[in-house]
Amino acid sequence: MKHNDAWSLYWQGGHQESCIANDSTEDQFILSDIWQEFAVSLAHNSAVLDLATGNGSVPHNLLSFNELLQITAVDRADINPQKHIEKNSLLQKVMFMPNIDITHLPFNENTFDAITSQFGLEYSALNLSTSELIRVLKPQGHFLFIMHHKDSEVVVPARAKVQEFELLFDSGILEGFEAFLNAGINLQQLNTLGEKVLAEHTMSKSEAITGQIFAAIDKLIQMKEQGKDIAELIKIYTTMKSRIIAEMSRLKQLISASLSKVDVTALCSSLESMGVNVVFSTIDLPQERGVLGWKIKGTKL
Ligand SMILES: C[S@@+](CC[C@H](N)C(=O)[O-])C[C@H]1O[C@@H](n2cnc3c(N)ncnc32)[C@H](O)[C@@H]1O
């Protein structure tokens, strides 16, 4: 699976957000406050470029606080935010551009008054995308990036989820089920394998991953027992498996995109060497409950 296939599948599934712990409204408020402050600091009609936009979470937030911004929003995935545009008229005036790699921006130099990114820039090759974004930003133009923190409340659980997916893949349960569908083993043998996997699977088994996969397999078994067409069952199973692989790919990208303090310091020095003023800080959760990410803010000289 190519990296952008995982994201194309994700955005086409209709999500509005991607990196908020359990769709937390608290996180949404924290992010929204940050974008509010930035949006109101920009003059009306400023030309803004949102990098790796997904289904337009940042444009939505910016336009909620400064309706007259002229926003262009790009992503390497095959995004099609039509469903969100229909629900949210603010997004109607955003120029969404799918299939754009931010390491090669199709814009002239000094085009934008401001550039934004929320959990997006760090997914790209930073040595290429940073020089591109500085090239298309106007002198005195501003940027604000919210980026993944290696120890954030999003990245830490993602590591545990990847581990759980990998253990399930290595356990042989999926191959066992495929053999069952193709009449290579019978139901009793499959049940024995399932029980063995659950017994040996001593790491935490979450309802969201192990629970859902076993429930989906149970449902397909019932459908087979009811005499449903095997070709149809294989099709459903193949779709389920490719969704699991896509989710794993997405989580692995998230983990490897996340930045330590050393990484952020190096990123900021590199930006400074390209002629910008830049400051960074953590985005802290209330009551010392950890961090949501990094905030990196600056101006092109
Ligand atoms: C975590 S999502 C963030 C999306 C959105 N900004 C949000 O906050 O909901 C990361 C996005 O980065 C995009 N992406 C990854 N590498 C990219 C690249 N080189 N150029 C453009 N987009 C990229 C992915 O397709 C994905 O939509």
Side-chain angles (χ1 to χ4, degrees), residues 254-269:
L254 183 157
I255 295 162
S256 62
S258 64
L259 305 173
S260 65
K261 189 168 180 187
V262 171
D263 300 328
V264 178
T265 309
L267 170 64
C268 291
S269 311

Side-chain angles (χ1 to χ4, degrees), residues 51 101-105 121 124-136 267 270-271 274:
L51 302 170
D101 192 320
I102 59 175
T103 59
H104 295 96
L105 290 170
L121 175 62
S124 65
L126 285 171
N127 55 334
L128 302 175
S129 52
T130 47
S131 53
E132 270 298 82
L133 74 91
I134 300 298
R135 180 181 68 76
V136 302
L267 170 64
S270 151
L271 284 167
M274 292 178 214

Side-chain angles (χ1 to χ4, degrees), residues 7 11 18-19 52-53 75-77 100-102 118-119 123-124:
W7 281 109
W11 296 122
S18 62
C19 291
T53 193
D75 200 289
R76 191 175 61 175
I100 301 289
D101 192 320
I102 59 175
Q118 173 176 284
F119 304 127
Y123 286 78
S124 65

